[in-house]
Short mmCIF file of all heavy atoms in Angstrom, two decimals:
data_model
loop_
_atom_site.label_atom_id
_atom_site.label_comp_id
_atom_site.label_asym_id
_atom_site.label_seq_id
_atom_site.Cartn_x
_atom_site.Cartn_y
_atom_site.Cartn_z
N HIS A 321 20.87 -17.57 12.82
CA HIS A 321 21.04 -16.29 12.13
C HIS A 321 21.50 -15.09 13.03
O HIS A 321 21.89 -14.12 12.59
CB HIS A 321 19.79 -15.88 11.34
CG HIS A 321 19.48 -16.87 10.37
ND1 HIS A 321 20.13 -17.16 9.15
CD2 HIS A 321 18.36 -17.77 10.25
CE1 HIS A 321 19.53 -17.98 8.41
NE2 HIS A 321 18.44 -18.51 9.02
N GLY A 322 21.40 -15.34 14.35
CA GLY A 322 21.81 -14.30 15.22
C GLY A 322 20.72 -13.37 15.66
O GLY A 322 19.63 -13.13 14.98
N TRP A 323 20.92 -12.74 16.86
CA TRP A 323 20.08 -11.68 17.22
C TRP A 323 20.77 -10.26 16.70
O TRP A 323 21.90 -10.24 16.38
CB TRP A 323 19.94 -11.47 18.74
CG TRP A 323 19.43 -12.74 19.43
CD1 TRP A 323 20.14 -13.72 19.85
CD2 TRP A 323 18.08 -12.89 19.80
NE1 TRP A 323 19.21 -14.77 20.37
CE2 TRP A 323 18.00 -14.27 20.34
CE3 TRP A 323 16.83 -12.28 19.56
CZ2 TRP A 323 16.68 -14.81 20.74
CZ3 TRP A 323 15.72 -12.88 19.95
CH2 TRP A 323 15.56 -14.06 20.48
N PRO A 324 19.96 -9.18 16.52
CA PRO A 324 18.57 -9.04 16.74
C PRO A 324 17.67 -9.62 15.80
O PRO A 324 18.05 -9.94 14.60
CB PRO A 324 18.33 -7.56 16.91
CG PRO A 324 19.33 -7.02 15.96
CD PRO A 324 20.50 -7.97 16.09
N LYS A 340 11.86 -4.62 16.92
CA LYS A 340 13.13 -5.17 17.00
C LYS A 340 13.42 -5.81 18.19
O LYS A 340 13.29 -5.08 19.28
CB LYS A 340 14.17 -3.97 16.61
CG LYS A 340 15.62 -4.48 16.55
CD LYS A 340 16.48 -3.34 16.32
CE LYS A 340 17.99 -3.70 16.27
NZ LYS A 340 18.86 -2.48 16.09
N SER A 365 15.66 -12.07 10.26
CA SER A 365 16.94 -11.70 10.79
C SER A 365 17.46 -10.27 10.29
O SER A 365 16.86 -9.85 9.30
CB SER A 365 18.00 -12.66 10.29
OG SER A 365 18.13 -12.66 8.86
N LEU A 366 18.27 -9.67 11.01
CA LEU A 366 18.85 -8.46 10.69
C LEU A 366 19.74 -8.59 9.45
O LEU A 366 20.66 -9.35 9.49
CB LEU A 366 19.67 -7.86 11.88
CG LEU A 366 20.34 -6.55 11.74
CD1 LEU A 366 19.33 -5.31 11.41
CD2 LEU A 366 21.25 -6.26 12.76
N LEU A 367 19.47 -7.75 8.49
CA LEU A 367 20.32 -7.68 7.31
C LEU A 367 21.20 -6.44 7.49
O LEU A 367 20.69 -5.23 7.43
CB LEU A 367 19.65 -7.63 5.98
CG LEU A 367 18.79 -8.91 5.68
CD1 LEU A 367 18.01 -8.82 4.43
CD2 LEU A 367 19.89 -10.11 5.48
N ARG A 368 22.54 -6.49 7.65
CA ARG A 368 23.26 -5.44 7.81
C ARG A 368 23.59 -4.73 6.44
O ARG A 368 24.12 -5.46 5.47
CB ARG A 368 24.54 -5.66 8.59
CG ARG A 368 24.31 -6.38 10.00
CD ARG A 368 25.59 -6.49 10.74
NE ARG A 368 25.18 -7.23 12.03
CZ ARG A 368 24.71 -6.68 13.07
NH1 ARG A 368 24.36 -5.29 13.11
NH2 ARG A 368 24.44 -7.26 14.24
N GLY A 369 23.35 -3.52 6.30
CA GLY A 369 23.49 -2.79 5.02
C GLY A 369 22.60 -1.59 4.93
O GLY A 369 22.18 -1.10 5.85
N ARG A 370 22.49 -1.12 3.69
CA ARG A 370 21.80 0.04 3.52
C ARG A 370 20.29 -0.14 2.99
O ARG A 370 20.15 -1.14 2.20
CB ARG A 370 22.56 0.87 2.35
CG ARG A 370 23.95 1.35 2.93
CD ARG A 370 24.91 1.72 1.60
NE ARG A 370 24.35 2.80 0.88
CZ ARG A 370 24.83 3.22 -0.23
NH1 ARG A 370 25.94 2.53 -0.78
NH2 ARG A 370 24.38 4.27 -0.92
N GLU A 371 19.43 0.63 3.43
CA GLU A 371 18.07 0.53 2.95
C GLU A 371 17.84 1.23 1.69
O GLU A 371 18.13 2.53 1.67
CB GLU A 371 16.99 0.93 3.93
CG GLU A 371 16.97 0.05 5.19
CD GLU A 371 15.91 0.41 6.19
OE1 GLU A 371 14.85 0.46 5.68
OE2 GLU A 371 16.14 0.49 7.38
N PHE A 448 17.56 -4.27 0.73
CA PHE A 448 18.74 -3.94 1.45
C PHE A 448 20.01 -4.17 0.58
O PHE A 448 19.93 -5.15 -0.24
CB PHE A 448 18.86 -4.89 2.77
CG PHE A 448 17.81 -4.74 3.72
CD1 PHE A 448 16.65 -5.61 3.84
CD2 PHE A 448 17.86 -3.71 4.68
CE1 PHE A 448 15.73 -5.38 4.84
CE2 PHE A 448 16.92 -3.43 5.56
CZ PHE A 448 15.77 -4.40 5.62
N LEU A 449 20.92 -3.25 0.68
CA LEU A 449 22.11 -3.35 -0.09
C LEU A 449 23.13 -3.84 0.96
O LEU A 449 23.55 -3.07 1.85
CB LEU A 449 22.65 -2.08 -0.78
CG LEU A 449 24.07 -2.18 -1.30
CD1 LEU A 449 24.19 -3.22 -2.32
CD2 LEU A 449 24.27 -0.79 -2.03
N THR A 450 23.38 -5.21 1.09
CA THR A 450 24.15 -5.75 2.11
C THR A 450 25.62 -5.37 2.05
O THR A 450 26.09 -4.88 1.04
CB THR A 450 24.06 -7.36 2.15
OG1 THR A 450 24.47 -7.76 0.86
CG2 THR A 450 22.50 -7.76 2.28
N GLU A 451 26.37 -5.72 3.13
CA GLU A 451 27.64 -5.35 3.21
C GLU A 451 28.59 -5.99 2.11
O GLU A 451 29.68 -5.49 1.81
CB GLU A 451 28.31 -5.58 4.51
CG GLU A 451 27.62 -4.85 5.78
CD GLU A 451 27.99 -5.21 7.03
OE1 GLU A 451 28.42 -6.38 7.32
OE2 GLU A 451 27.90 -4.41 7.99
N ASP A 452 28.16 -7.01 1.58
CA ASP A 452 28.90 -7.79 0.54
C ASP A 452 28.55 -7.21 -0.90
O ASP A 452 28.97 -7.82 -1.83
CB ASP A 452 28.84 -9.28 0.54
CG ASP A 452 27.43 -9.82 0.34
OD1 ASP A 452 26.54 -8.96 0.07
OD2 ASP A 452 27.22 -11.02 0.38
N GLY A 453 27.79 -6.26 -0.87
CA GLY A 453 27.40 -5.60 -2.20
C GLY A 453 26.20 -6.21 -3.04
O GLY A 453 25.94 -5.95 -4.15
N THR A 454 25.44 -7.09 -2.25
CA THR A 454 24.39 -7.82 -2.84
C THR A 454 23.02 -7.18 -2.50
O THR A 454 22.81 -6.77 -1.37
CB THR A 454 24.23 -9.25 -2.38
OG1 THR A 454 25.51 -9.98 -2.80
CG2 THR A 454 23.15 -10.03 -3.06
#
Side-chain angles (χ1 to χ4, degrees):
H321 299 287
W323 300 90
K340 181 183 177 185
S365 63
L366 173 67
L367 292 175
R368 301 188 185 279
R370 299 159 62 186
E371 291 189 49
F448 292 104
L449 177 55
T450 61
E451 292 175 337
D452 65 1
T454 302

